[in-house]
Amino acid sequence: MQLSNEEEDYNLSLSKFESMLKTNKVLFFDSEEFEEIILHYLDMGKANLAKKALKLALEQHPKSTGLKLVQVEMLVYDDKLDQADKLLNELFAIEPNNEEIYIQKASIYSKRDNHEKAVELLNTALYYTDDYADVYNLIGMEYLFMDDLEKAKDSFIKCLEEDTEDQAALYNVVYCFEFLDQNDQAIVFLNQYIEKNPYSEIAWHQSGRLHYGLKQYEEALRAFDYATLIDDEFLGAFMEKAKAFERLKRYEEAIEAYNRTIELDDPTSYALLRIGKCHEKLGNKALALKYFNKTVHEDPLLDKGWIAITDFYVRLKNYQKALYYVNKALNIDNQNRLYWKRYATINREMNFYEEAEFGYRKAVEFGDSELDTWLFWVDILQFLGEFDSAIETLLQSTEFFPESYEVEYRLAGLYFMLGKDIKGKFHIANGLRLNFDNHVMLEALFPVIWTRKMVQNAINKSKK
């Protein structure tokens, strides 16, 4: 690939400057060369080299407005805002129609969190600039800082009208639409954009994402197809395409798309996991397990990988294997509530009730907020004859589930079992009030107390 004359000149200037630094010989550069050299080092994060270049530049071109504006940019970069402001005022007195002065002034106000003033200055810059796209983009960013997404969106759209190739502005427009919950309008906008720019893989990809979010999977797939046809190395589009295939239950094609992401880059645990899930849906159990194992090998900290293997064996009712893998997961992260819940469930299926009780207790301790976790835990405590602990646990659960008939019926049954009839009557009344139709759960959970006259009277009274 041949370099343009401008690129060659730029590279020669850079090489010449770096050679000068090594030999300590002072060579002459014009002011524009210096500007490019300084901005190159700033972009590279090499602030010290940029400062050296600026010092030499100002020695050779002390009256260059362009270089002084670069100096302002560096002062702003270093948070020396007062010095930058002072220098800009001096430049304004010389060149009041220079748009860059307004842009840099706006940058200072933005740094000081005065975004309204920054927008005002940028609007003034529009009168003097030839680069409208850049200024509209900066205005859009200021509105983003102010959380004014409507005005930000309008500014980024204006930016795209000036420069249809500005990908950052395109992403920002879509972001604003999504933030404002205007996904349908975003799709309309992208369709109009695509009519003018049919080979924009970014626009097709964003359109696909929006359709996917609206569960319009066929339309999403069509958009991702175009994105990958335009750019056959577009990793993100292939990943999204695979997800759309999955949603459409086209698992073989989903596997093909996920495999393409692995060809383009190192395999991700997410792609390996999804390939495993697709194989499982296709009934390819051996391949599913192979990819689940690859997932945890690739990322041992990914809980979804361990959960996939564990659930795979649970579905096969191979509880020994399931327990083996959930224990491996717990050895890596013993504070994961999802692991503890599965540990408890597997042990319950194997009739290891004390281990199951321990697992549910740990799941709750580490943040499990599902009602069924609490109820399984309580039912096991009841089975183990630990009625007081079961009641204590249920009372604790009422902080999270104050209107749960399942909790109230269990409390009623346990209190009746312990001979605390007043409390039993109170909680059975609550349960009947919350959900009369499910009062038969008392018979299933507490057959001993079901036939008691006090219980039947409470139920019959509630029927009336």
Side-chain angles (χ1 to χ4, degrees):
M1 178 179 160
Q2 287 190 320
L3 294 174
S4 67
N5 289 338
E6 282 186 10
E7 286 173 317
E8 284 183 1
D9 290 344
Y10 170 73
N11 288 332
L12 281 170
S13 297
L14 206 56
S15 299
K16 179 178 159 187
F17 179 77
E18 290 182 354
S19 173
M20 181 186 76
L21 290 179
K22 290 174 186 174
T23 58
N24 289 324
K25 289 181 180 177
V26 178
L27 303 174
F28 180 82
F29 298 84
D30 66 38
S31 61
E32 287 186 3
E33 281 182 295
F34 266 126
E35 283 182 45
E36 287 179 355
I37 291 166
I38 295 161
L39 292 173
H40 166 79
Y41 287 129
L42 280 178
D43 289 340
M44 296 291 290
K46 298 179 178 179
N48 286 336
L49 283 173
K51 285 173 184 176
K52 279 184 183 179
L54 178 63
K55 184 174 180 294
L56 285 166
L58 289 172
E59 285 173 2
Q60 291 188 10
H61 306 279
K63 294 184 179 179
S64 167
T65 302
L67 286 170
K68 286 182 179 177
L69 283 167
V70 173
Q71 185 181 9
V72 168
E73 194 170 333
M74 289 182 66
L75 288 167
V76 172
Y77 179 83
D78 289 336
D79 279 329
K80 295 177 180 177
L81 303 184
D82 291 336
Q83 287 177 246
D85 208 13
K86 184 181 176 184
L87 183 51
L88 280 173
N89 288 334
E90 292 171 7
L91 292 171
F92 180 77
I94 301 165
E95 292 189 25
N97 296 339
N98 188 325
E99 79 274 11
E100 195 61 35
I101 293 172
Y102 295 99
I103 290 169
Q104 292 299 336
K105 276 262 187 191
S107 176
I108 291 169
Y109 276 106
S110 182
K111 279 254 186 179
R112 288 172 172 160
D113 291 327
N114 189 343
H115 302 294
E116 293 88 350
K117 184 65 178 175
V119 168
E120 183 185 320
L121 286 159
L122 289 168
N123 278 319
T124 304
L126 286 171
Y127 289 108
Y128 302 111
T129 189
D130 293 325
D131 189 356
Y132 294 105
D134 184 50
V135 179
Y136 279 127
N137 193 44
L138 291 170
I139 292 171
M141 293 307 297
E142 293 303 318
Y143 280 125
L144 281 183
F145 290 136
M146 290 189 274
D147 292 326
D148 191 336
L149 277 294
E150 277 291 353
K151 287 183 179 176
K153 181 183 72 178
D154 291 343
S155 298
F156 291 127
I157 289 172
K158 286 176 182 175
C159 173
L160 284 171
E161 287 169 354
E162 297 293 332
D163 179 6
T164 57
E165 301 297 317
D166 192 326
Q167 293 184 358
L170 183 58
Y171 278 118
N172 282 328
V173 169
V174 175
Y175 167 79
C176 292
F177 273 117
E178 286 188 279
F179 191 90
L180 293 164
D181 199 21
Q182 298 173 349
N183 287 16
D184 288 318
Q185 295 95 314
I187 290 170
V188 171
F189 169 81
L190 285 170
N191 286 341
Q192 292 168 348
Y193 180 89
I194 287 167
E195 281 181 21
K196 298 173 187 173
N197 306 275
Y199 297 106
S200 170
E201 72 276 20
I202 302 298
W204 282 112
H205 175 244
Q206 292 299 302
S207 177
R209 277 186 55 255
L210 290 161
H211 280 298
Y212 186 93
L214 293 169
K215 299 184 179 180
Q216 298 166 353
Y217 302 121
E218 291 284 1
E219 293 87 344
L221 188 57
R222 175 175 170 273
F224 295 136
D225 265 337
Y226 277 114
T228 54
L229 282 169
I230 295 163
D231 180 357
D232 64 0
E233 295 188 355
F234 194 163
L235 180 65
F238 277 107
M239 187 67 81
E240 299 285 353
K241 185 176 178 179
K243 288 163 63 179
F245 276 130
E246 263 199 271
R247 290 290 187 178
L248 293 166
K249 297 183 170 34
R250 293 163 63 175
Y251 300 114
E252 290 178 352
E253 290 160 294
I255 290 168
E256 187 180 334
Y258 282 125
N259 276 323
R260 180 64 179 140
T261 70
I262 291 170
E263 290 169 11
L264 291 170
D265 200 0
D266 293 334
T268 64
S269 55
Y270 178 82
L272 294 168
L273 175 64
R274 296 319 309 171
I275 292 171
K277 292 275 189 183
C278 290
H279 277 302
E280 190 175 13
K281 293 285 186 182
L282 291 166
N284 304 330
K285 292 179 180 177
L287 281 170
L289 191 57
K290 174 186 172 183
Y291 278 95
F292 293 151
N293 278 303
K294 281 186 174 185
T295 301
V296 294
H297 178 75
E298 182 67 30
D299 184 1
L301 297 177
L302 181 72
D303 57 8
K304 289 180 181 177
W306 293 107
I307 287 166
I309 297 177
T310 303
D311 289 352
F312 175 84
Y313 281 115
V314 167
R315 282 190 285 274
L316 293 176
K317 299 191 185 304
N318 188 339
Y319 299 117
Q320 289 285 0
K321 278 275 192 180
L323 189 60
Y324 168 77
Y325 280 102
V326 84
N327 276 323
K328 283 190 76 168
L330 284 165
N331 283 333
I332 295 168
D333 179 5
N334 67 359
Q335 295 186 9
N336 189 309
R337 60 184 174 79
L338 300 172
Y339 295 163
W340 280 115
K341 186 167 184 175
R342 281 163 174 77
Y343 173 87
T345 302
I346 294 162
N347 275 293
R348 192 184 80 226
E349 292 290 342
M350 296 171 74
N351 299 323
F352 298 154
Y353 294 109
E354 289 183 359
E355 289 83 354
E357 186 276 326
F358 179 74
Y360 285 126
R361 177 152 38 98
K362 283 290 188 183
V364 168
E365 180 185 332
F366 292 119
D368 192 309
S369 59
E370 299 294 323
L371 177 60
D372 72 327
T373 307
W374 290 82
L375 298 180
F376 281 133
W377 181 16
V378 167
D379 292 345
I380 287 173
L381 286 168
Q382 180 193 335
F383 179 83
L384 293 171
E386 297 181 24
F387 296 157
D388 289 326
S389 293
I391 287 171
E392 185 182 335
T393 301
L394 283 168
L395 291 173
Q396 187 184 345
S397 77
T398 59
E399 295 177 25
F400 306 99
F401 314 103
E403 295 288 294
S404 167
Y405 69 88
E406 296 101 321
V407 170
E408 293 298 330
Y409 282 130
R410 281 172 171 80
L411 279 169
L414 287 164
Y415 277 126
F416 281 129
M417 292 285 287
L418 292 172
K420 298 180 180 180
D421 293 349
I422 294 173
K423 289 185 176 181
K425 285 171 70 177
F426 172 79
H427 287 288
I428 197 173
N430 279 346
L432 292 164
R433 173 179 58 81
L434 291 166
N435 190 319
F436 177 84
D437 292 342
N438 278 296
H439 70 272
V440 290
M441 73 164 47
L442 272 171
E443 183 179 15
L445 292 169
F446 305 96
V448 175
I449 64 103
W450 173 251
T451 55
R452 286 184 58 180
K453 188 175 181 181
M454 188 179 295
V455 172
Q456 289 302 313
N457 283 344
I459 293 168
N460 291 328
K461 185 179 177 182
S462 215
K463 285 181 183 177
K464 297 175 183 177

